[in-house]
């Protein structure tokens, strides 16, 4: 049944099932947005200035219980730690002494899942449910990686918005009763959502969140229909999640992967009835508070001064980026880390730079503390490699071997001293292809999770073959391409070179194509976005990075991926042959490259210019790309967002202190969701909002020795985490 659209609907909902609007301090309740249930309700409310929020609060009966009131407030206050996709941003939490505790969320318009199902008239289509479940599963996994258990997931606590589903209700199970006390019912939570072990009084643990989320998704799919047979997620994952024994339930990352596999490739949005219900809420809000201002949700984190010191600008200051000088924390000789105090806050004000040409948001939250840190053996920065596989396992090469690390726990999985990598490539299916630095010409296939070597290939070793492997180029679709050198032919000392395609499944050579002598460099591993090789839809591109070839300009040779046939060769004016800047070929016959004129887009096969973007000095090779949006830094660490189809620049953000960083190249990576850009320099890591370039937080370290004051480079990301490498160690920062 459709929701009421008349202005009187708020008055009717104010007394739904006898629940009168509670006294919520400065908030005025407009209407109750949930239906049914007892104990805890959600209200559309506005502050004195007309700013709207969704407010969750217990009813008078529960609020009169001092024990419940205190537990509810404590859990609401802890919920500030939950941020990112799939989590309703906490706007404000009541005082601990409030007669009725409450928590306000920034997500307007929004309706609980129970209300949405009524508006829709029954259960939702499976594609809609799986798409709504994706951000919820991400939020649960992110909470678990941060050591948090939600313990309040239920149909009532899931809010549906135009942008997707959001979790509220953090800790409602813990608030219901003290640990060890049987929970006959949980206020504000559907009985079916409470896992059996939590109902019996056990402490909430991660498997309970998996159980509750699976129940919510089945509830949305079946609603008041029978839940039997409702799960069509591959492997009946949701039914497994409802196992009575917590040990038999899959982990949050397994549920997330199953939902990814089941979700349609294109999200077609919410059904018409639900969109209309959300529009109706927004219209009623405008009628009630016509001058209600828009609000941007704020996100925060926690400070940790035990190992790494972080600093941030206050969220209420005018929009200007905090100074890098104010964020650097110096290490005392015997101190691992220091937190910024009042003097540091004064430094922020004293050294704040001039306001940017386009005003940015003030920094809304604290830089998050690392969730784990792993010390590493001695590493050679010129050859050491890191590779993240399947979003779960990090492979790290060092001077004495290779080790595997679980990125969500930071625990070492295995170590091998018989694998000395000079190049690591993702071979797919959780395997890594490794070129061994110990034996020239050897490469092998290794399982990332177990460290088991599946096979070794020694056919191209220099001591046993006339043409020896000189370096891996790329891997894609079960094929690896590499360069071989032949020293045995001719008396002039000229070395013949060829590109080879090799099937990983059949373990045999597919084709071999000659290359100009000295065309491709083999003395060091090629880099992906700095004049390195590239694999496009139908072509393998090889750059003239060697010492021979005779060309003065940068050039590509294009080989057909299937046959090895040479398709074309092209030189590009303005791109230096030894370019350290960005060289990024793309499907659609596009090349984006750093040139003397700035950042240029040109036709890959012809070299014809399409567009030019002015940058200071050069465009750094360590750029980040998501779909058609490129994020790149220049010599002064100014970050630009560039639409590579048109060359348009939606936004540009200057660095807080570019002069001291003018000789420093900046690393760049994107969070797995694409919402956060991590820019690394010698002194800090800056987190930027990818939508507008606003600074979210800045992070600086305190330490000793060579890594003092150097946070390292953000090198990889997975759901909820970004991995940072500072040579001596790696650590994980929570994001989104």
């Amino acid at each position: 049944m459709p929701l009421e659209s008349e202005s009187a609907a708020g008055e009717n909902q104010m007394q739904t099932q006898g629940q009168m609007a509670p006294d919520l301090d400065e908030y005025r309740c407009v209407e109750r947005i949930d239906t049914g249930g007892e104990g805890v309700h959600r209200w559309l409310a506005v502050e004195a200035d007309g700013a709207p929020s969704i407010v969750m609060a217990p009813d008078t009966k529960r609020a009169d219980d001092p024990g419940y009131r205190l537990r509810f407030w404590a859990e609401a206050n802890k919920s500030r730690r939950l941020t990112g996709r799939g989590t309703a941003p906490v706007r404000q939490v009541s005082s601990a002494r409030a007669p009725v505790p409450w928590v306000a969320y920034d997500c307007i318009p929004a309706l609980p899942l129970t209300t949405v199902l009524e508006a829709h008239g029954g259960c939702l289509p499976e594609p809609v449910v799986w798409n709504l479940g994706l951000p919820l599963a991400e939020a649960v996994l992110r909470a678990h990686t941060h050591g948090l258990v939600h313990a309040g997931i239920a149909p009532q606590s899931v809010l549906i918005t135009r942008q997707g589903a959001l979790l509220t209700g953090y800790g409602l199970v813990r608030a219901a009763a003290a640990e060890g006390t049987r929970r006959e019912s949980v206020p504000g939570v559907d009985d079916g959502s409470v896992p059996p072990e939590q109902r019996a009084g056990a402490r909430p643990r991660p498997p309970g969140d998996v159980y509750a989320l699976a129940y919510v998704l089945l509830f949305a799919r079946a609603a008041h229909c029978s839940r039997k047979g409702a799960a069509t997620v591959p492997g009946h994952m949701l039914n497994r999640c409802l196992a009575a024994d917590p040990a038999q339930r899959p982990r949050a990352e397994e549920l997330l992967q199953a939902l990814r596999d089941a979700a349609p490739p294109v999200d077609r949005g919410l059904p018409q009835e639900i969109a209309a219900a959300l529009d109706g809420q927004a219209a009623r809000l405008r009628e009630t508070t016509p001058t209600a201002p828009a609000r941007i949700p704020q996100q925060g984190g926690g400070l940790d001064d035990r190992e790494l010191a972080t600093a941030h600008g206050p969220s209420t200051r005018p929009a200007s980026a905090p100074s890098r000088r104010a964020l650097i924390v110096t290490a005392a000789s015997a101190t691992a880390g220091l937190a910024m105090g009042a003097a540091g806050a004064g430094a922020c004000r004293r050294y704040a730079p001039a306001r940017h040409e386009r005003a940015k948001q003030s920094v809304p939250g604290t830089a998050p503390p690392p969730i784990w840190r792993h010390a590493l053996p001695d590493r050679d920065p010129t050859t050491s490699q890191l590779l993240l596989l399947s979003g779960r396992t990090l492979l790290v090469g060092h001077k004495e071997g290779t080790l595997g690390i679980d990125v969500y726990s930071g625990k070492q999985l295995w170590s091998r001293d018989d694998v000395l990598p000079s190049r690591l490539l993702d071979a797919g299916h959780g395997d890594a292809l490794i070129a061994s630095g110990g034996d020239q010409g050897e490469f092998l296939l290794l399982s990332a999770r177990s460290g088991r070597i599946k096979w070794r290939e020694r056919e191209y070793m220099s001591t046993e073959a006339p043409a020896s492997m000189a370096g891996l180029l790329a891997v894609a679709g079960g094929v690896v391409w590499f360069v071989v050198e032949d020293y045995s032919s001719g008396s002039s000392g000229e070395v013949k070179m060829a590109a080879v395609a090799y099937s990983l499944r059949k373990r045999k050579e597919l084709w071999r194509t000659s290359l100009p002598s000295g065309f491709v460099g083999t003395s060091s591993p090629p880099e992906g976005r700095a004049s390195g090789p590239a694999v496009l839809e139908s072509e393998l591109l090889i750059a003239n990075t060697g010492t021979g070839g005779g060309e003065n300009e940068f050039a590509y040779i294009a080989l057909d991926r299937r046959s090895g046939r040479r398709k074309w060769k092209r030189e590009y004016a303005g791109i230096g042959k030894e370019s350290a800047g960005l060289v990024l070929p793309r499907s659609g016959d596009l090349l984006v490259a750093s040139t003397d004129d700035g950042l240029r887009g040109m036709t890959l096969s012809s070299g014809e210019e399409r567009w030019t973007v002015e940058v200071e000095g050069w465009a750094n090779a360590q750029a980040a790309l998501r779909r058609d949006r490129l994020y790149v830094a220049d010599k002064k660490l100014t970050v630009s967002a560039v639409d590579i189809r048109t060359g348009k620049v939606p936004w540009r953000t200057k660095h807080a202190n570019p002069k001291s960083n003018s000789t420093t190249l900046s690393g760049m990576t994107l969070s797995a969701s694409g919402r956060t850009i991590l820019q690394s320099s010698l002194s800090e890591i800056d987190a930027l909002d990818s939508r507008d370039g606003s600074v979210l937080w800045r992070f600086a370290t305190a330490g000793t020795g060579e890594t003092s004051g150097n946070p390292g480079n953000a090198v990889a990301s997975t759901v909820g985490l970004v991995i940072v490498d500072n040579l001596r160690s790696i650590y994980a920062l929570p994001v989104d």
Side-chain angles (χ1 to χ4, degrees):
M1 55 181 257
L3 293 182
E4 299 174 86
S5 59
E6 295 84 356
S7 59
E11 297 179 6
N12 294 336
Q13 291 209 21
M14 292 281 280
Q15 299 185 31
T16 302
Q17 295 191 1
Q19 168 66 21
M20 297 299 295
D23 179 9
L24 303 179
D25 301 324
E26 66 266 38
Y27 284 90
R28 175 176 61 85
C29 292
V30 175
E31 65 180 37
R32 182 177 148 194
I33 63 172
D34 54 11
T35 59
E38 294 182 357
V40 174
H41 299 292
R42 290 151 188 87
W43 300 80
L44 176 61
V46 294
E47 294 181 75
D49 61 359
S53 293
I54 300 296
V55 179
M56 184 180 75
D59 60 21
T60 304
K61 177 181 177 182
R62 268 64 180 196
D64 286 343
D65 179 347
Y68 181 85
R69 184 171 65 243
L70 181 59
R71 290 193 299 271
F72 181 97
W73 175 85
E75 296 296 335
N77 206 44
K78 292 176 186 176
S79 70
R80 296 177 184 269
R81 300 170 63 188
L82 294 178
T83 60
R85 186 178 185 226
T87 303
V90 175
R91 167 63 180 171
Q92 192 176 3
V93 177
S94 70
S95 164
R97 298 181 180 180
V100 177
W102 49 265
V103 54
Y105 303 99
D106 262 334
C107 47
I108 301 293
L111 290 168
L113 179 60
T114 50
T115 306
V116 161
L117 292 173
E118 289 190 11
H120 184 61
C123 53
L124 300 177
E126 283 188 352
V128 175
V129 175
W130 307 152
N131 275 325
L132 291 175
L134 277 173
L136 301 179
E138 286 186 20
V140 169
L141 176 57
R142 188 166 54 249
H144 293 176
T145 61
H146 296 178
L148 305 175
V149 177
H150 190 282
I153 301 172
Q156 302 96 313
S157 60
V158 171
L159 295 182
I160 306 300
T161 71
R162 285 278 194 178
Q163 289 71 42
L166 302 173
L167 283 178
T168 67
Y170 179 84
L172 286 179
V173 171
R174 289 183 291 263
E179 184 180 332
T181 304
R182 183 170 182 82
R183 303 175 178 99
E184 297 296 341
S185 64
V186 176
V189 174
D190 187 291
D191 288 345
S193 303
V194 185
E197 70 275 12
Q198 294 180 15
R199 188 180 299 278
R203 174 186 298 179
R205 297 188 183 279
D209 285 348
V210 172
Y211 180 103
L213 179 55
Y215 175 88
V216 166
L217 297 178
L218 286 172
F219 184 91
R221 178 65 192 97
H224 302 295
C225 316
S226 169
R227 289 196 290 114
K228 185 178 181 180
T232 58
V233 173
H236 301 285
M237 178 65 71
L238 296 186
N239 288 331
R240 288 178 53 205
C241 294
L242 296 179
D245 182 359
Q248 300 301 315
R249 299 171 199 157
R251 293 176 299 189
E253 53 263 41
E254 297 177 70
L255 175 56
L256 174 60
Q257 187 58 55
L259 289 170
R260 283 176 172 166
D261 294 340
V266 178
D267 184 357
R268 301 190 181 277
L270 298 171
Q272 183 177 355
E273 300 87 349
I274 299 174
L278 291 170
D279 290 343
Q281 182 188 80
R284 293 192 298 277
L285 181 64
R286 285 193 296 269
E287 292 175 3
T288 305
T289 55
T291 60
R295 184 191 295 132
I296 298 172
Q298 298 190 18
Q299 297 185 10
L303 282 171
D304 186 345
D305 61 354
R306 292 169 295 181
E307 287 188 346
L308 296 116
T310 64
H312 67 287
S315 60
T316 55
R317 289 189 58 193
S320 62
S323 121
R324 182 186 64 83
R325 180 176 177 181
L327 298 171
I328 295 178
V329 185
T330 357
S333 58
T335 306
L338 299 172
M340 176 176 285
C348 277
R349 291 187 290 271
R350 188 179 308 119
Y351 297 114
R355 187 171 301 183
H356 291 177
E357 295 176 2
R358 184 172 74 84
K360 300 291 184 183
Q361 300 174 25
S362 56
V363 180
T366 356
I371 62 172
W372 58 258
R373 178 180 177 274
H374 191 99
L376 296 175
D378 287 342
R379 301 165 66 202
D380 182 349
T382 63
T383 59
S384 295
Q385 300 288 326
L386 290 98
L387 178 66
L388 179 63
L389 291 98
S390 303
R392 179 67 187 273
T393 309
L394 187 70
L395 267 60
V396 183
H398 55 89
K399 290 183 178 180
E400 298 181 356
T402 307
L403 54 88
I405 297 172
D406 184 286
V407 297
Y408 285 111
S409 66
K411 294 181 179 178
Q412 182 171 305
L413 300 173
W414 52 265
S415 178
R416 300 195 68 111
D417 59 7
D418 58 343
V419 177
L420 298 172
S422 60
R423 188 88 193 277
L424 291 168
L425 295 174
D426 188 347
H429 309 290
D431 294 333
L433 190 74
I434 302 178
S436 175
D439 295 303
Q440 180 68 24
E442 178 186 78
F443 59 94
L444 55 91
L445 192 71
L446 178 142
S447 169
R449 291 301 291 179
S450 67
R452 180 175 66 89
I453 296 175
K454 294 187 174 182
W455 50 258
R456 293 179 185 264
E457 178 59 83
R458 291 189 170 98
E459 181 180 345
Y460 300 93
M461 291 177 62
S462 58
T463 57
E464 301 178 13
S468 62
M469 190 193 78
L472 294 180
L473 294 174
V475 176
V479 176
V480 57
W481 294 272
F482 53 87
V483 174
V484 294
E485 295 176 332
D486 184 357
Y487 290 87
S488 62
S489 58
S491 58
S492 62
E494 181 180 9
V495 179
K496 290 187 176 181
M497 305 183 71
V500 173
Y502 180 96
S503 170
L504 298 179
R505 182 175 63 86
K506 298 178 181 179
R507 291 194 59 191
K508 71 174 187 178
E509 188 172 310
L510 300 176
W511 53 255
R512 182 180 298 206
T513 298
S514 297
L515 297 173
S517 178
F519 186 82
V520 59
T522 57
S523 59
S524 61
E527 297 181 17
R529 289 181 183 167
S531 312
V535 179
L536 303 183
E537 292 179 357
S538 61
E539 297 166 333
L540 171 70
L541 302 183
I542 302 177
N544 62 334
T545 56
T547 57
E551 297 92 347
N552 294 320
E553 303 287 352
F554 178 79
Y556 268 133
I557 286 179
L559 305 181
D560 184 273
R561 282 178 54 174
R562 294 178 62 87
S563 66
R565 177 178 61 88
R566 179 165 160 173
K567 300 176 70 172
W568 51 262
K569 179 182 178 183
R570 172 64 56 187
E571 294 183 18
Y572 302 93
I575 305 178
K577 184 176 177 181
E578 303 298 329
S579 174
L582 177 70
V583 181
L584 177 63
R586 295 287 295 165
S587 298
D589 205 19
L590 174 66
L591 176 66
V592 180
S594 175
T595 70
D596 296 337
D597 299 326
L599 185 66
R600 290 173 58 193
M602 57 191 91
T603 301
L604 178 61
S605 57
S606 68
E608 180 183 357
E609 183 173 308
R610 297 186 184 181
W611 50 259
T612 299
V613 173
E614 291 186 4
V615 296
E616 183 75 28
W618 62 76
N620 188 7
Q622 301 305 313
L625 179 70
R626 186 176 179 86
R627 299 187 180 93
D628 294 316
R629 180 68 65 87
L630 178 72
Y631 306 96
V632 62
D634 62 18
K635 178 181 179 180
K636 290 192 174 181
L637 302 184
T638 295
V639 178
S640 300
V642 181
D643 187 325
I644 60 174
R645 298 166 300 180
T646 63
K648 293 183 178 179
V649 181
W651 57 258
R652 183 169 279 166
T653 298
K654 295 180 180 179
H655 198 271
N657 196 350
K659 291 184 179 179
S660 64
N661 287 280
S662 60
T663 60
T664 302
L665 287 178
S666 169
M668 193 88 65
T669 193
L670 275 173
S671 64
S673 70
R675 292 188 298 276
T676 305
I677 306 166
L678 285 303
Q679 180 187 18
S680 308
S681 66
L682 284 179
S683 58
E684 67 199 43
I685 295 174
D686 293 41
L688 310 178
D689 190 319
S690 63
R691 296 169 298 182
D692 60 7
S694 56
V695 179
L696 301 175
W697 44 261
R698 286 199 168 107
F699 181 92
T701 62
T704 58
E706 296 178 8
T707 60
S708 177
N710 178 15
N713 290 312
V715 294
S717 64
T718 187
V719 176
L721 293 178
V722 63
I723 307 301
V724 182
D725 175 23
N726 72 349
L727 192 61
R728 296 289 183 87
S729 67
I730 56 175
Y731 58 92
L733 288 176
V735 293
D736 298 339

